[in-house]
């Protein structure tokens, strides 16, 4: 599935404002708090409830899309 198609489907699930795609918006999600590690992503999805989380996970599973859940982004376990 093309990336833009997937992002549009994610927006249908969680709403336009809950899918971040602009590099400035995703920057805080792809870098650890120490600034040592930095990743890349086409989008950050911020579901508002468990139903949205389930729908996002289901879509990612159906489309074989990697999914990385994120908590507090502290880098500490």
């Amino acid at each position: 599935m093309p990336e833009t198609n997937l992002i549009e489907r994610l927006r249908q699930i969680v709403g336009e404002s809950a899918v971040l795609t602009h590099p400035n918006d995703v920057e805080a999600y792809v870098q650890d708090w120490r600034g040592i590690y930095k990743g890349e992503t086409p989008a950050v999805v911020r579901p508002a409830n468990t139903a949205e989380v389930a729908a996002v996970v289901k879509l990612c599973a159906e489309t074989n899309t990697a999914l990385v859940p994120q908590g507090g982004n502290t880098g500490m376990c």
Side-chain angles (χ1 to χ4, degrees):
M1 164 180 291
E3 187 176 289
T4 53
N5 239 3
L6 176 64
I7 291 172
E8 287 308 313
R9 289 180 66 187
L10 289 166
R11 286 183 173 133
Q12 291 172 357
I13 294 169
V14 299
E16 183 80 25
S17 64
V19 179
L20 310 178
T21 57
H22 191 278
N24 291 344
D25 296 334
V26 302
E27 185 175 3
Y29 295 91
V30 296
Q31 185 168 327
D32 74 312
W33 65 278
R34 299 167 297 173
I36 296 173
Y37 301 105
K38 186 166 182 165
E40 294 180 14
T41 186
V44 171
V45 182
R46 301 186 309 172
N49 54 54
T50 55
E52 289 181 0
V53 171
V56 168
V57 171
K58 182 178 179 184
L59 175 61
C60 289
E62 288 172 0
T63 59
N64 199 29
T65 301
L67 178 67
V68 180
Q70 185 177 33
N73 197 25
T74 64
M76 298 179 188
C77 296

